[in-house]
Amino acid sequence: MVQQFNPANVMTTQSVPSDVATTIIDRIMGQSAILQVAKNIDMQGKQTKKFSFMTGVGGAYWTGETQRIATTKPTFLPAKLEAKKLAVIIPVSKEFLSYSYTNFFSEVTPLIVEQMDKAIDLAVIKGINTPYEDSLANAAQTNGSVLSGDINYENILALENKLYDKGLQGNAFLSTLTNNPALRTSIQQNAGLYPDKLYDSSAKTLDGMPVVDTQQGVLNKGDLVFGNFDYLYYGLPGNMDVEIDKSAQLSTMTNSDGTPVNLFEQDMVAMKVTMDIAVLPVRQDAFATLNVKPGDDVLGSVPGDGTDTTDKNAKANTAKAKPATATSSEQK
């Protein structure tokens, strides 16, 4: 049986233009919801970076003419970013490259970006297949900042109050396009002729704060995240690496008969894209969620996960080659 390979799962080619990595990483930065709202830390080419963040600036004091001005010490807390490797391998047939080489990178770049964006956002928001110690959903659950119910006027204000009650000011929402109908109808009830309308679709704001949409498959319909994203940091210690191979055996991707994909035997090539990225919420109490569940697996199992990791959300690849069986005539 001829094997069918979907470039949406993995990709490849014979030569890599110098601007490919730059194009991919620029698109990831512009499309990942997390990387749009988080604050960047320069990791100076290192896998780990220690830094301090400010939680308060003390107070201001009245003073008279010629009197000394009182000074207060700002409050700083230590934190450490630790980069983890994110990778995707895209195998395609040599025929695919030969027939569409000129359009190859324009076709596969969006696929790489989509998969890496989803992996980042799922890990940081929900803690799915994550290498990081914390997620926004877990932080909200730990601090009792979790709500359930419909997206409506009352619940949006209640979500905001989860932060305000802790003396924190939120500055953005994470949502999904499927929430737009509910957001547009989040209007104050029984308010007469001039009800308060929270969502501004033209400015893409909710109660005056920006709404950033995740890609489809990250947040479910009805999910909202509210937070002060000044307390979410990320760092990139280096550039993206792109490698080509024509002879590898892809143990975590199987053929329809359960055998591993072998590039040499099946006359294929594969492109491997890797990048290191660190993401860290430094204050758990700075995030609140509506209907978001930690570890709510939207994408399903990932082939190969769990074979060499301690991630509690990872699932092992159990596909094995099927043993040959004798026909009825041979058995006789």
Side-chain angles (χ1 to χ4, degrees):
M1 178 180 178
V2 177
Q3 304 298 330
Q4 300 294 323
F5 296 95
N6 184 355
N9 295 333
V10 254
M11 40 194 175
T12 180
T13 191
Q14 294 174 344
S15 63
V16 181
S18 59
D19 62 343
V20 169
T22 301
T23 300
I24 294 173
I25 204 164
D26 284 348
R27 292 192 184 184
I28 289 174
M29 300 291 289
Q31 295 182 31
S32 165
I34 287 299
L35 299 188
Q36 289 183 63
V37 296
K39 297 180 68 175
N40 179 250
I41 289 286
D42 183 3
M43 299 190 70
Q44 301 174 326
K46 299 178 180 179
Q47 289 297 108
T48 60
K49 172 71 173 181
K50 293 182 179 180
F51 65 100
S52 298
F53 64 97
M54 186 182 297
T55 61
V57 294
Y61 300 92
W62 297 104
T63 184
E65 284 295 325
T66 73
Q67 288 184 331
R68 293 180 179 178
I69 300 175
T71 57
T72 57
K73 183 179 180 181
T75 304
F76 288 93
L77 291 177
K80 183 175 77 170
L81 278 170
E82 184 174 357
K84 302 294 183 179
K85 182 177 290 186
L86 179 63
V88 61
I89 298 176
I90 310 273
V92 297
S93 67
K94 288 183 179 178
E95 289 80 6
F96 178 85
L97 296 178
S98 300
Y99 300 152
S100 60
Y101 178 76
T102 56
N103 297 324
F104 177 76
F105 285 104
S106 62
E107 291 180 8
V108 301
T109 296
L111 302 175
I112 301 172
V113 171
E114 178 185 4
Q115 296 307 314
M116 286 193 158
D117 279 346
K118 281 186 176 180
I120 294 169
D121 289 351
L122 281 169
V124 178
I125 296 173
K126 291 186 170 182
I128 295 177
N129 292 319
T130 181
Y132 305 120
E133 294 182 359
D134 203 3
S135 66
L136 304 188
N138 179 70
Q141 189 174 71
T142 300
N143 287 275
S145 298
V146 176
L147 292 174
S148 60
D150 297 332
I151 293 179
N152 54 39
Y153 185 90
E154 290 75 17
N155 283 338
I156 291 172
L157 295 185
L159 186 64
E160 294 179 0
N161 279 332
K162 288 294 184 179
L163 264 64
Y164 300 149
D165 289 345
K166 295 180 174 67
L168 287 168
Q169 172 74 47
N171 55 17
F173 290 86
L174 300 182
S175 183
T176 178
L177 284 173
T178 55
N179 285 338
N180 283 2
L183 292 174
R184 285 195 291 266
T185 56
S186 297
I187 301 173
Q188 185 180 18
Q189 301 298 309
N190 304 317
L193 296 176
Y194 305 103
D196 184 23
K197 184 177 181 180
L198 293 176
Y199 185 62
D200 185 340
S201 57
S202 60
K204 195 68 176 176
T205 60
L206 185 60
D207 202 12
M209 289 169 281
V211 178
V212 179
D213 287 327
T214 64
Q215 293 190 69
Q216 184 178 4
V218 177
L219 289 178
N220 297 318
K221 183 178 181 181
D223 290 355
L224 274 180
V225 178
F226 178 59
N228 186 325
F229 292 95
D230 289 341
Y231 294 111
L232 180 65
Y233 290 85
Y234 79 94
L236 303 172
N239 295 323
M240 179 175 287
D241 293 324
V242 182
E243 299 178 48
I244 302 300
D245 196 281
K246 301 178 183 179
S247 60
Q249 178 168 289
L250 307 180
S251 61
T252 59
M253 183 178 183
T254 58
N255 297 307
S256 58
D257 62 358
T259 59
V261 172
N262 188 296
L263 300 180
F264 181 78
E265 292 180 345
Q266 296 175 236
D267 201 25
M268 300 176 68
V269 287
M271 181 165 73
K272 180 178 68 175
V273 180
T274 61
M275 65 179 292
D276 292 324
I277 181 169
V279 187
L280 178 68
V282 294
R283 286 192 64 165
Q284 283 193 322
D285 58 354
F287 305 96
T289 60
L290 177 65
N291 300 323
V292 181
K293 297 178 181 178
D296 182 11
D297 201 338
V298 178
L299 295 182
S301 62
V302 179
D305 281 355
T307 57
D308 58 357
T309 178
T310 58
D311 176 13
K312 65 181 183 304
N313 292 309
K315 298 180 176 66
N317 173 21
T318 57
K320 302 293 182 184
K322 297 178 180 178
T325 56
T327 62
S328 57
S329 59
E330 292 172 338
Q331 291 173 340
K332 295 177 180 178

